[in-house]
Amino acid sequence: MAESKIAILSTVINFDLYAKSSQFFPQDIQKYVIDGRNGMHGLDSIFYMMDKLKNKNLDWLIMADEDVLFQDSTVFFDIINKMQSENYMVCGVRDGGMIAHRIYNPYAVNTFFSIINFKDLEKIWNKKEILKNHYIKKDEFRDDLSGLPGQYDVNSIYEPYYGFYFWMRRKNKKFLFLDAQMNSDQIANTVLYNDKVFLYHTWFARSYGINEKHTKRINNIFGLLHFEENKTSDPIIFKDKTFFLIQKIKKNYQRIVKKFKSKKQK
């Protein structure tokens, strides 16, 4: 598999943490960054991702936040080989039932880490359809959830980005769900493939370098990793300079409409 057709994308709010964590990214593949300091994240980040990465001849896209620390990034190529041979569209960790503080929908993955068949995604991409898929129907998905160790809510639409994953599932695209375990600090979690840990997700990226507790906790996880100088190129950084202003205008408009409706009802 040509590594030039695999890329890794991070939506970053803490560039100090990214400078350290990206040293553990897979070597010799292109890194892309969406600057999330203007509030862009989740579904907005996914839409922006497609605008920026379409027509770049990518086959596979690894999505990983800056608070994801890879213990063994070579595992990606094993996962991608499996996804390719068994026709999986998406790989990731369920957003319910696997991580103690993520008790939401187990039919979608949490965006902190995932692998997507980007070539196939481009072929079916439809933003309007995705926006219409932020709902859940009773007994629509038939995953066997009996082995999940934690709490979950099959009716949750907690995250706006769920519609992206529900849309793919409704198109009968296959999902490869990975196991996760809580770290000893009971905040971070590990992710496993073939029963072996290959990454840590620390959470609280925004607090790194600011909050002493979380900075120390995350540095302790860095201390568990084996460091070798990374040969991966510097990231290409994307930033939507109008995003914050547009979101502010939308919120003000919604506030005015809500206030107008309230007065009308009196």
Side-chain angles (χ1 to χ4, degrees):
M1 183 180 301
E3 293 182 3
S4 61
K5 291 194 173 184
I6 305 173
I8 185 164
L9 171 75
S10 304
T11 299
V12 177
I13 57 175
N14 189 325
F15 278 82
D16 289 337
L17 179 56
Y18 178 80
K20 295 181 179 181
S21 63
S22 61
Q23 293 297 314
F24 298 90
F25 282 7
Q27 295 187 1
D28 301 317
I29 68 172
Q30 180 62 57
K31 293 186 291 187
Y32 293 104
V33 164
I34 293 175
D35 188 336
R37 291 175 295 185
N38 57 2
M40 181 178 284
H41 66 282
L43 188 60
D44 290 317
S45 181
I46 291 170
F47 289 154
Y48 192 55
M49 165 191 85
M50 292 305 298
D51 288 340
K52 292 300 182 180
L53 297 185
K54 64 184 178 183
N55 302 321
K56 289 192 178 294
N57 199 30
L58 291 177
D59 286 347
W60 297 91
L61 184 67
I62 302 164
M63 298 172 66
D65 291 345
E66 73 269 35
D67 54 1
V68 171
L69 311 184
F70 296 121
Q71 179 165 283
D72 183 1
S73 63
T74 63
V75 170
F76 290 124
F77 304 108
D78 295 334
I79 296 175
I80 289 173
N81 285 334
K82 178 180 177 67
M83 292 178 70
Q84 189 170 39
S85 64
E86 299 181 25
N87 198 31
Y88 284 103
M89 183 77 169
V90 177
C91 167
V93 177
R94 296 181 189 272
D95 202 35
M98 291 303 305
I99 300 169
H101 47 87
R102 299 300 299 185
I103 59 173
Y104 308 111
N105 202 301
Y107 297 135
V109 305
N110 188 287
T111 55
F112 75 81
F113 165 77
S114 63
I115 301 176
I116 296 178
N117 185 329
F118 195 80
K119 185 177 181 179
D120 283 356
L121 179 61
E122 277 191 291
K123 292 176 183 177
I124 64 170
W125 179 256
N126 190 313
K127 182 178 178 179
K128 290 182 179 179
E129 285 185 2
I130 293 169
L131 289 170
K132 293 177 181 178
N133 273 268
H134 188 59
Y135 65 88
I136 192 78
K137 293 190 291 187
K138 185 177 180 181
D139 299 326
E140 178 179 9
F141 305 119
R142 298 302 180 92
D143 304 20
D144 181 6
L145 305 177
S146 60
L148 295 183
Q151 298 180 49
Y152 56 85
D153 178 4
V154 296
N155 298 310
S156 173
I157 52 172
Y158 178 74
E159 294 286 2
Y161 61 71
Y162 284 171
F164 172 60
Y165 297 109
F166 295 160
W167 167 72
M168 285 188 283
R169 297 200 64 164
R170 287 167 182 143
K171 287 186 172 292
N172 297 315
K173 300 302 180 181
K174 289 176 64 179
F175 278 48
L176 175 62
F177 289 108
L178 301 178
D179 290 333
Q181 295 177 347
M182 296 305 296
N183 192 44
S184 58
D185 62 19
Q186 296 304 308
I187 296 175
N189 65 270
T190 59
V191 179
L192 298 82
Y193 181 69
N194 288 338
D195 298 321
K196 293 184 179 179
V197 171
F198 72 96
L199 70 79
Y200 292 83
H201 182 215
T202 69
W203 301 90
F204 292 94
R206 192 183 300 275
S207 298
Y208 186 76
I210 299 172
N211 179 281
E212 182 179 357
K213 171 189 171 182
H214 290 299
T215 301
K216 182 179 179 180
R217 182 180 59 79
I218 294 171
N219 281 337
N220 286 340
I221 297 175
F222 271 116
L224 301 174
L225 308 179
H226 177 63
F227 179 80
E228 291 183 2
E229 186 176 357
N230 198 315
K231 298 177 183 178
T232 308
S233 61
D234 290 334
I236 294 173
I237 300 176
F238 303 123
K239 182 172 184 176
D240 185 343
K241 295 180 180 179
T242 65
F243 180 77
F244 179 78
L245 178 60
I246 291 172
Q247 295 304 305
K248 188 174 182 180
I249 292 171
K250 285 181 178 178
K251 287 180 180 178
N252 286 338
Y253 174 75
Q254 290 169 355
R255 193 178 296 115
I256 291 170
V257 170
K258 186 177 180 180
K259 187 175 182 181
F260 176 77
K261 286 183 177 179
S262 178
K263 285 185 177 180
K264 195 173 180 179
Q265 291 172 354
K266 290 181 178 178

